Amino acid sequence: MLNQKISGLIAAPFTPFDENGELNLELIPQYYAMLKRNGVKGAFICGSTGEGVSLTFEEKVAVMTAWASLTKEDDAFILMMLLGGTNIKECQQLARLAEQVGVDVVSFTSPSYFKPAHVDQLARCCVEIASAAPNTAFYYYHIPVLTGGNFQMIDLLKKIDGMIPNFKGIKYTHEDFMDFLSCMNYADRKYDMLWGRDENMLSALVLGNKGAVGSTYNYAAPLYLELIDAYDKGDVEKANALQQQSIDMITLLGKYGGISVGKAYMKLIGLDCGEFRLPVKNMSAEQFELFKNDVNKLGFQTFCAR
């Protein structure tokens, strides 16, 4: 079982599809090699960026197996699998399979249709799912903007502390720095807190954060590694400027349609992952040309992944 806290960048890979919208698993070895080459320490698969909610159970297993076949013997690369958050039984089934194929971490997010009435119910869900893979590290995935699970994570930690032997921490994709810091400091910093907002990385570093999971690390990891290095060396002005570059890059996601724009960035670094599935909107060919012009103005080629 993964016992150490995670440090460095964990990318949240896009699930690659072909021109017909079917899985393109043949691209995953190239994807994995690119992440390694650019200093990324792991992958959080089938999450929001990976369209886990738009994949069938069989597709999730196929994606997980393809990644695990590459990473199982790679001790320097951490594979994290989002099990889901709506169907508890399916999450348990995936957790068992994840443990069998050698995934390092399984993760679960708050149910978003039948929502937990209070944090006690959410804790019960975590207990049920984590116990299905007792020899695999378990992280909760906090992303209330998508799930509606607007609980304080410090309350969840207090509720489950000592209840789940393989519970290791939280992937925290929210802007509540008060709650985040309280979680970091809880029980003598017992739990691992992974920051999930790429555009606020510098603020998280100031609080002492060491590990982060994000979508833009897929195509701009060099920018964030330089940001971390600048901060570690005490060059806050340089770190500030690099964070602004990150913000400018991320702003284009909003301008051109949201999460699907990440796959457009991937095309620009030479990995065509296809389009997002419905109901997500993809940009048109005309919009893509405008997008490329805006990206060039950012100097993307000077800090993008290779």
Side-chain angles (χ1 to χ4, degrees):
M1 186 190 297
L2 179 75
N3 285 312
Q4 78 274 16
K5 290 184 178 181
I6 296 171
S7 62
L9 303 181
I10 305 293
F14 300 91
T15 296
F17 297 130
D18 61 22
E19 63 276 8
N20 297 314
E22 301 299 327
L23 292 181
N24 181 13
L25 300 179
E26 291 76 16
L27 190 66
I28 290 177
Q30 185 181 350
Y31 204 144
Y32 163 68
M34 182 275 293
L35 293 178
K36 292 274 291 182
R37 190 165 60 247
N38 284 276
V40 174
K41 300 299 183 183
F44 185 93
I45 60 173
C46 297
S48 308
T49 304
E51 298 179 79
V53 293
S54 298
L55 301 178
T56 67
F57 182 86
E58 292 75 18
E59 286 175 327
K60 289 179 186 178
V61 173
V63 171
M64 178 175 69
T65 303
W67 277 97
S69 68
L70 299 167
T71 65
K72 186 175 182 180
E73 304 302 326
D74 186 349
D75 293 336
F77 195 89
I78 298 167
L79 183 63
M80 309 177 74
M81 171 70 183
L82 181 65
L83 305 171
T86 301
N87 186 319
I88 303 302
K89 285 292 185 183
E90 180 177 285
C91 290
Q92 290 174 315
Q93 291 172 11
L94 276 172
R96 295 185 190 101
L97 291 171
E99 187 156 285
Q100 290 174 18
V101 301
V103 169
D104 298 298
V105 173
V106 293
S107 185
F108 161 75
T109 195
S110 178
S112 57
Y113 188 86
F114 292 132
K115 296 179 177 66
H118 42 70
V119 76
D120 292 26
Q121 288 298 100
L122 182 60
R124 286 186 61 189
C125 293
C126 290
V127 170
E128 290 294 317
I129 295 166
S131 64
N135 300 306
T136 303
F138 178 88
Y139 279 66
Y140 178 72
Y141 177 17
H142 184 49
I143 184 165
V145 69
L146 291 181
T147 66
N150 291 297
F151 304 107
Q152 292 285 293
M153 288 296 96
I154 187 62
D155 293 335
L156 180 65
L157 287 184
K158 290 176 180 177
K159 180 60 60 176
I160 64 177
D161 187 27
M163 290 176 59
I164 306 174
N166 53 328
F167 181 86
K168 299 299 180 181
I170 297 173
K171 176 186 181 295
Y172 197 99
T173 306
H174 190 38
E175 296 76 23
D176 189 340
F177 285 100
M178 183 174 73
D179 183 44
F180 181 71
L181 183 61
S182 295
C183 291
M184 286 185 65
N185 290 331
Y186 179 71
D188 293 324
R189 303 189 176 181
K190 177 179 180 180
Y191 294 108
D192 192 14
M193 297 297 297
L194 300 175
W195 185 248
R197 285 286 188 221
D198 310 6
E199 63 272 29
N200 299 135
M201 172 182 275
L202 180 55
S203 300
L205 292 175
V206 171
L207 299 181
N209 174 249
K210 300 297 183 183
V213 181
S215 64
T216 63
Y217 310 151
N218 285 295
Y219 47 83
L223 171 66
Y224 294 97
L225 292 174
E226 188 178 1
L227 189 164
I228 294 168
D229 182 64
Y231 178 77
D232 287 345
K233 291 178 178 176
D235 192 343
V236 178
E237 285 301 314
K238 182 178 180 182
N240 181 302
L242 291 166
Q243 184 69 85
Q244 187 61 55
Q245 277 190 289
S246 158
I247 291 170
D248 293 343
M249 176 182 65
I250 291 169
T251 297
L252 293 185
L253 272 70
K255 180 176 180 179
Y256 286 98
I259 193 170
S260 65
V261 179
K263 283 192 171 182
Y265 272 115
M266 294 299 288
K267 286 183 182 179
L268 298 183
I269 67 165
L271 281 179
D272 188 346
C273 296
E275 295 188 336
F276 266 66
R277 287 179 172 172
L278 287 171
V280 176
K281 184 181 183 299
N282 294 280
M283 68 175 69
S284 66
E286 293 76 16
Q287 287 175 316
F288 183 63
E289 293 305 314
L290 295 172
F291 167 74
K292 286 197 295 184
N293 289 333
D294 279 348
V295 170
N296 287 335
K297 293 175 186 176
L298 295 177
F300 181 65
Q301 291 300 320
T302 64
F303 60 77
C304 67
R306 306 292 178 184

